């Protein structure tokens, strides 16, 4: 069965370190998205991609970057982790016409 | 300006009763879509129902229906015959523009508690 996975599921890191969160989907979807979830804010869009080599900034992109070198993967990098980036991160993917399918989430703590 | 508003931070309902979760939206794009997702305590995001702005009929999926009132810009989720397993966070989300470019804007969510 097709799926979308995220790794690691939990991560603790220190302020200033570079962190990369992985997202891998086997749906063969063109569209991929990264969101963060914080209490009181729902999910907010960080970056998104509509295909290989395409990346776009979302609502809360400062301090984050993504790259899309193939259809299946959209890794999210925190260049220099800050305590304000402690959050739950969700990756999602979709086709041109489908709803978004979400990964299980990564809980990141920056100490 | 907030584009998706869920005014009920928390709701409770008795098992087997119906409950309505409110969602209002703001957009000037004539083509948009509205989604509801469920997030149980385990954390995953589960797609429930979708309504397109041009759809003539209100969407239904099993016990879920969407009360879509375009003039009022509201897309309320109705859950009929509530079950204990319906206890979760519920998020309303909107896609602006045609389906090919479908980044979502989420509301803050409503936490639903179903009491036996």
């Amino acid at each position: 069965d097709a799926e979308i996975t995220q790794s690691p599921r939990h991560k603790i890191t220190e302020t200033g370190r570079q962190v990369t969160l992985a997202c891998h989907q086997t749906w063969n979807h063109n569209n991929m998205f990264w969101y963060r979830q914080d209490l009181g804010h729902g999910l907010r869009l960080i970056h998104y991609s509509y295909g290989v080599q395409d990346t776009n900034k979302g609502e809360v992109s400062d301090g984050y970057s993504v790259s899309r070198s193939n259809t299946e993967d959209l890794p999210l990098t925190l260049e220099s982790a800050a305590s304000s980036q402690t959050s739950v991160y969700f990756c999602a993917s979709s086709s041109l016409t489908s709803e978004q399918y979400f990964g299980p989430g990564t809980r990141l703590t920056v100490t | 300006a907030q584009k998706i508003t869920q005014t009920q931070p928390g709701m409770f309902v008795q098992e087997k009763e119906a409950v309505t979760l409110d969602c209002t939206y703001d957009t000037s794009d004539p083509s948009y879509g509205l989604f509801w997702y469920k997030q149980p305590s385990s954390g995953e995001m589960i797609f429930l129902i979708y309504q397109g702005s041009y759809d003539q009929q209100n969407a239904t999926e099993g016990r879920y229906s969407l009360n879509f009132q375009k003039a009022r810009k509201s897309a309320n989720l109705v859950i009929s015959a509530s079950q204990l397993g319906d206890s979760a966070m519920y998020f309303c989300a909107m896609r602006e523009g045609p389906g090919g470019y479908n980044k979502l804007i989420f509301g803050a969510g409503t936490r639903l508690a179903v009491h036996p």
Side-chain angles (χ1 to χ4, degrees):
Chain A
D1 285 346
E3 61 179 355
I4 178 166
T5 57
Q6 294 183 233
S7 62
R9 295 294 312 279
H10 298 88
K11 174 81 176 175
I12 300 173
T13 191
E14 294 177 345
T15 301
R17 290 197 181 260
Q18 184 181 78
V19 176
T20 297
L21 308 183
C23 175
H24 179 80
Q25 53 99 2
T26 57
W27 291 98
N28 199 33
H29 285 159
N30 285 323
N31 302 340
M32 295 185 73
F33 308 85
W34 274 104
Y35 297 90
R36 61 177 286 174
Q37 183 178 20
D38 306 288
L39 274 175
H41 288 281
L43 277 73
R44 290 181 292 175
L45 184 65
I46 305 171
H47 281 286
Y48 58 102
S49 169
Y50 291 141
V52 176
Q53 301 301 332
D54 175 74
T55 62
N56 306 278
K57 292 182 178 181
E59 178 191 0
V60 291
S61 61
D62 286 351
Y64 303 95
S65 64
V66 294
S67 62
R68 187 91 180 268
S69 58
N70 58 52
T71 300
E72 296 79 19
D73 299 290
L74 187 71
L76 176 72
T77 297
L78 287 67
E79 303 294 344
S80 176
S83 58
S84 60
Q85 294 176 309
T86 292
S87 187
V88 179
Y89 291 85
F90 284 97
C91 179
S93 72
S94 72
S95 68
L96 291 181
T97 56
S98 75
E99 70 273 17
Q100 290 186 19
Y101 295 82
F102 283 80
T106 293
R107 185 174 296 275
L108 177 68
T109 302
V110 183
T111 62
Chain B
Q2 203 161 7
K3 295 217 170 191
I4 293 284
T5 303
Q6 295 182 253
T7 57
Q8 307 153 314
M11 290 278 288
F12 71 88
V13 65
Q14 291 294 126
E15 198 177 6
K16 300 188 179 70
E17 298 290 314
V19 63
T20 298
L21 306 184
D22 293 342
C23 173
T24 58
Y25 60 91
D26 183 29
T27 182
S28 56
D29 197 319
S31 176
Y32 55 90
L34 295 152
F35 299 77
W36 279 91
Y37 281 84
K38 172 184 178 182
Q39 187 179 43
S41 58
S42 52
E44 72 267 33
M45 295 288 288
I46 302 167
F47 166 73
L48 295 178
I49 197 167
Y50 167 78
Q51 179 87 41
S53 59
Y54 295 119
D55 293 343
Q56 296 297 314
Q57 308 261 16
N58 283 349
T60 60
E61 289 287 346
R63 294 186 298 111
Y64 304 108
S65 60
L66 205 152
N67 184 1
F68 183 46
Q69 298 188 44
K70 202 168 180 177
R72 298 181 60 186
K73 293 189 174 180
S74 74
N76 299 338
L77 177 71
V78 180
I79 305 174
S80 63
S82 298
Q83 301 172 357
L84 296 178
D86 294 334
S87 295
M89 280 290 286
Y90 289 82
F91 291 98
C92 180
M94 178 175 67
R95 163 190 56 76
E96 291 180 301
Y101 298 91
N102 59 351
K103 56 189 171 79
L104 296 178
I105 304 163
F106 282 83
T110 295
R111 183 172 297 280
L112 176 67
V114 180
H115 295 173

